[in-house]
Amino acid sequence: MLDIKVTKTTAPKPKPDQDHLGFGSFYTDHMFLMDYDEGQGWHSARIEPYHPLQLDPAAMVLHYAQESFEGMKAYRTAEGQVQLFRPEKNGERLQSTHQRLCIPAIPVEDFVQAVKALVDVDRDWVPSAPGTSLYLRPFTIATEAQLGVKVSSSYQFLVIASPSGAYYAEGLDPVKIYVEDEYVRAAPGGTGAIKCGGNYAASLAGQQKAHQMGYSQVLWLDGIHRKYVEEVGSMNCFFKIDGVVRTAPCAGTVLPGITRMSCIELLRDWGYTVDCDTRLSIQEVMEAAHSGKLEEVFGTGTAAVVSPVGKLYYEGDEVTVGDGGIGPVTQRLYDTLTGIQWGALPDEKGWIVPV
Ligand code: COI
């Protein structure tokens, strides 16, 4: 249990217009911080007014990217309550990221306590307009000033919060996806299965190329054969082919998404066959599209929620998914998940944690 010292701001900021939040552009009045020093462990948990960081220019995070992050949201229900969705799963995933990057572990209970404490202090910042939430960004950075490549001896863990609307400008309109066959996001033994900034830096060239070609996101293929579908930059990806729902196995190169695992559970409850163990080749996807068997494609993620995919482009061939609109399974998943998250549907699975 953390002993969190709270210093409140004396100059609260005006709140942004809830109808024009966009994603990740506004920040609340406060932030959570906690330091780690070798020999001392994690210490000095505190909430302070939101402020820029002071870092030594030699801080290791700036050079060698020893960094982890998470993405989660606080939702306001129609009754005005504020709640989180499976926050312990983010805490567990942060631990696996820390382990891979040699960053000292933060106990899951401390992680959840830190997030809850910040949301509580900035409770008024949780927006209430439909589809909006308080996006939370916990992250850890290596702070030791040292240009030799080694494991840092000091870190800072922070949580910042951003009132946000939909991640994609398209909202629930289907997105167009470019299947990347030149650049690679992840390879076995690498960092594809954890949440670290470097994965996203490496994805930018592909994303820029997709944008230039008129597509909003990239679907990454496996790094060895460039054959099997893996994930979209900011979400996991599902394909409904001839009645069966398929998604890439989380076998080392795909991020184990919390929305992904929740969707798999819901789909199985509803009686769908979900295959998340067998790799799916892009050829199978394109053939299914051509033979009319590619019924639905959607992405899942905390920021993106459940986002329909309307078109896929691969090696000169653009196919339309289903009739190009949002499919019934995608819509049902979106309605159910958001219903649970915003409190309009009962939380039968115990996924909700009130703040
Ligand atoms: C999230 O869905 O929360 C993510 O972290 C994806 C992102 C890079 C916006």
Side-chain angles (χ1 to χ4, degrees), residues 23 69-73 93 135-137 167 195 200 233-235 255 259 300-305:
F23 177 82
F69 77 95
E70 272 302 317
M72 52 205 295
K73 287 174 173 172
R93 192 171 59 186
Y135 184 76
L136 302 163
R137 175 49 62 87
Y167 185 68
K195 215 152 168 63
Y200 296 80
S234 51
M235 38 187 203
L255 190 79
T259 314
T300 64
T302 297
V305 196

Side-chain angles (χ1 to χ4, degrees), residues 7 9 138 168 192 210 219 230 232 240 258 272 292 304 320 354:
T7 308
T9 182
Y168 293 121
L219 172 61
E230 294 214 319
V232 176
K240 183 159 174 276
I258 292 152
Y272 287 100
T320 300

Side-chain angles (χ1 to χ4, degrees), residues 58-76:
M60 294 182 72
V61 64
L62 301 176
H63 303 274
Y64 307 124
Q66 201 189 2
E67 184 264 359
S68 67
F69 77 95
E70 272 302 317
M72 52 205 295
K73 287 174 173 172
Y75 307 85
R76 188 175 291 285

